[in-house]
Amino acid sequence: MGYRSTIAYMILFPSENDYLAFLTEAVTLSNQPITNEDFMTINGSGVWGDMSSALAETKHGANAYRQDYLASDGAQRYFPAIVFNASGVKWYTSYPDVHAHESLMFLAQLWVNGGELSYDIGVGKDVLMTRCAMYMVRYGEDKGDEELIDVGKHISLTATPMWVERRIEFHGAIEHFIDKEDV
């Protein structure tokens, strides 16, 4: 059995060039020793995880994240993103697949540490953003076992892109009965 978690994360980029550079760096660093001034290990390992495998488990693309209302013209803007979502998984940092995903998130945090740059996203003026922004939510079976990481700056992340909501839902045939006032 084991303890299960639900996890979702999104790495959002201001430009396709940044997105493609991140993919290239992730593939290049996969399974390589960590040689970084900011940190020497990821979850106790001195080696990057297999980020190529982690990327294969994500959904990602140059036009993955749609944002409305960034400009008065009402046009939708699309941004590159990497998105992962898994329910009921054993999210143990010692597992190779988990280490691979954690490595992607560490790489994103390194990119955020580079500071803000000016980007022209077609809204009439340049905007300051980090090379990527990352948002991660994980919750476990136990009440209060929740983790949130929110790093970076992106123009379209003025609202929280995901959150934890625990609730009981009723299915099909019983749902209409439960909602009745007089039973």
Side-chain angles (χ1 to χ4, degrees):
M1 293 286 262
Y3 190 81
R4 304 285 178 163
S5 293
T6 296
I7 181 165
Y9 67 83
M10 175 178 67
I11 304 170
L12 187 60
F13 301 88
S15 74
E16 186 172 355
N17 286 340
D18 287 323
Y19 163 68
L20 294 173
F22 184 90
L23 293 178
T24 300
E25 187 168 355
V27 169
T28 302
L29 291 175
S30 286
N31 300 311
Q32 297 299 312
I34 297 172
T35 56
N36 187 284
E37 296 174 4
D38 293 331
F39 59 91
M40 298 304 293
T41 65
I42 300 171
N43 301 319
S45 174
V47 176
W48 290 96
D50 185 358
M51 293 182 279
S52 297
S53 293
L55 285 168
E57 295 177 350
T58 67
K59 292 187 177 187
H60 57 92
N63 293 312
Y65 190 84
R66 186 188 80 216
Q67 181 64 43
D68 300 331
Y69 314 115
L70 283 179
S72 59
D73 65 4
Q76 296 176 337
R77 303 293 191 273
Y78 291 88
F79 296 99
I82 299 170
V83 181
F84 177 76
N85 183 25
S87 298
V89 296
K90 294 182 179 181
W91 196 260
Y92 299 125
T93 56
S94 61
Y95 286 11
D97 58 333
V98 172
H99 180 62
H101 286 282
E102 296 265 341
S103 293
L104 275 177
M105 290 186 276
F106 268 80
L107 182 58
Q109 290 179 53
L110 278 178
W111 276 46
V112 168
N113 292 347
E116 295 178 4
L117 302 170
S118 182
Y119 290 92
D120 177 3
I121 60 167
V123 294
K125 63 179 181 177
D126 285 2
V127 289
L128 291 176
M129 294 185 275
T130 51
R131 290 184 71 200
C132 71
M134 196 222 8
Y135 201 89
M136 185 276 289
V137 175
R138 186 202 58 77
Y139 70 91
E141 295 172 353
D142 293 340
K143 182 178 179 182
D145 179 15
E146 297 176 5
E147 181 182 5
L148 169 70
I149 299 173
D150 181 3
V151 295
K153 180 179 178 184
H154 195 285
I155 188 74
S156 67
L157 290 181
T158 56
T160 304
M162 60 186 89
W163 56 90
V164 173
E165 187 175 293
R166 295 180 187 247
R167 64 180 179 203
I168 297 174
E169 291 189 46
F170 293 96
H171 181 266
I174 194 75
E175 185 176 82
H176 77 282
F177 182 73
I178 295 295
D179 289 340
K180 286 186 176 180
E181 302 235 352
D182 283 332
V183 180

